[in-house]
Amino acid sequence: MQRRALIAGNWKMNLSLKEAISLTKEIANGILDIEDRDILIAPPFPYLYPITQLLKGSKIYLSAQNMHWEREGAFTGEVSGLMLKDVGCTHVIIGHSERRIIFQETDEQIARKINTALEIGLCPILCVGEKLEERESAQTFSVIKSQLEGALGHLRSVPDSFVIAYEPVWAIGTGRTATPSQAQEVHSFIREWIRKKFGEEKSSAIRILYGGSVKPENIRDLMSEKDIDGVLVGGASLKSESFLKIIRF
Ligand code: PEP
C-alpha cells in the first residue's frame, strides 16, 4: 500500500503569538500547490484557537501536543481532548518523550489518553523511542515493544489514520539524527508489531513517522526508507524556510 507522507511540526513551548501567526501564514502560503502529502502543525495550547481561524480553507491539520485523559472535571491546569476538538484540532501528540521523561508520564496514563482520543475522534500521534543508554545496552527493541504494548496492548483495533512516531530520545534536539537504516530497522519492527497485533491491513495503512533532528539536509534519505512514512519535526519546524524545505523534500 502506498501511504501518503505526513510532515508534522511540533512547536513545543516556543514562539510568541505574533510569531506563531506569521509562521502559520508562511506555511499555509508555501504549500498551496502541494497535493500529494499531508502537513500538520502542533502549536502550544493558547495559539490553537487563533490558528484555527487562520487555517480555514487550508489543508493543514492542527494538532495539540498533549491532552488529559478525562473529558472534563477538576484537573487544574489540564486541557481535555473535547476542548481540543472544539478549537479545531484533528490530532493530538501523545506520549512525547519530553512528557514521559520530564513530566513522568506513565504507560498507563498514555494508554488512557489514547483511549479517550480515539473515543472522541481525535487522531493520536503516539510517540515511542529509546534513550541513549537503552540503545547502547541493546535494549532498543524491548523498550519500543513495551511502550507499544503499554499504550496499545489493550486495544482490539485502531483506525487506519492512527499515527506512530519513532523518536529516539538521543536524537531529539541534539542535532544527532538516527541514520536512515537505524530508523528503518525500528520502523519495520513497529510495523511488524502492528501486523501481529492488528493484522496485515492495519500494518500497511498506519503511518510511522521518524522524529529526531530532522532537517532539510537529511529528510530525503530518511524518506527513501520503505517504512518511514513521514517525519515529526521539532526545531526545524519553527522557521518556515526550513519547514517548507522539509515539506518539499
Ligand atoms: C521532537 O521533539 O518531536 C523532535 C523531533 O525534535 P527535534 O526535531 O528538534 O529533534
Side-chain angles (χ1 to χ4, degrees), residues 8 23 34 39 46 58 63 66 70-71 94 117 126 134 162-163 178 184 194 221 226 233:
L23 179 56
I34 295 184
I39 294 137
S58 150
S63 175
N66 182 32
E70 293 292 345
R71 294 171 185 224
I94 295 181
L126 168 68
E134 293 164 340
F162 198 92
V163 180
Q184 166 58 30
I194 300 168
D221 287 345
K226 87 176 191 350
V233 188

Side-chain angles (χ1 to χ4, degrees), residues 10 12 96-98 167 171-175 211-214 232-236:
N10 173 15
K12 310 193 184 187
H96 190 280
S97 62
E98 286 152 16
E167 300 207 302
I172 295 183
T174 58
S213 299
V214 174
L232 181 53
V233 188

Side-chain angles (χ1 to χ4, degrees), residues 34-174:
I34 295 184
E35 300 286 346
D36 63 344
R37 56 203 68 183
D38 291 333
I39 294 137
L40 173 149
I41 54 174
F45 288 136
Y47 305 159
L48 291 171
Y49 187 66
I51 288 178
T52 290
Q53 311 303 313
L54 292 177
L55 292 183
K56 284 195 177 128
S58 150
K59 294 168 289 192
I60 300 174
Y61 290 96
L62 186 64
S63 175
Q65 302 171 15
N66 182 32
M67 60 174 259
H68 195 267
W69 57 82
E70 293 292 345
R71 294 171 185 224
E72 62 183 357
F75 300 100
T76 301
E78 291 292 327
V79 173
S80 84
L82 288 175
M83 294 169 183
L84 299 176
K85 275 197 80 179
D86 235 0
V87 297
C89 289
T90 50
H91 292 71
V92 58
I93 298 173
I94 295 181
H96 190 280
S97 62
E98 286 152 16
R99 302 286 329 158
R100 292 178 190 261
I101 296 167
I102 305 171
F103 300 100
Q104 280 93 45
E105 227 169 69
T106 63
D107 280 336
E108 195 205 324
Q109 291 170 333
I110 290 165
R112 292 174 81 175
K113 292 180 182 195
I114 297 273
N115 284 350
T116 309
L118 292 175
E119 280 163 19
I120 66 175
L122 264 181
C123 180
I125 303 173
L126 168 68
C127 299
V128 296
E130 81 287 2
K131 296 183 189 148
L132 183 60
E133 62 269 27
E134 293 164 340
R135 174 158 282 265
E136 286 174 343
S137 56
Q139 292 178 72
T140 299
F141 296 116
S142 60
V143 169
I144 302 296
K145 185 169 177 229
S146 94
Q147 290 174 341
L148 290 170
E149 274 166 7
L152 307 176
H154 62 291
L155 293 173
R156 285 236 180 113
S157 189
V158 285
D160 286 1
S161 55
F162 198 92
V163 180
I164 297 179
Y166 168 55
E167 300 207 302
V169 177
W170 48 272
I172 295 183
T174 58

Side-chain angles (χ1 to χ4, degrees), residues 187-199:
H187 281 230
S188 127
F189 176 86
I190 294 172
R191 200 171 305 285
E192 180 55 17
W193 188 89
I194 300 168
R195 194 187 65 74
K196 286 197 195 126
K197 170 84 187 156
F198 300 120

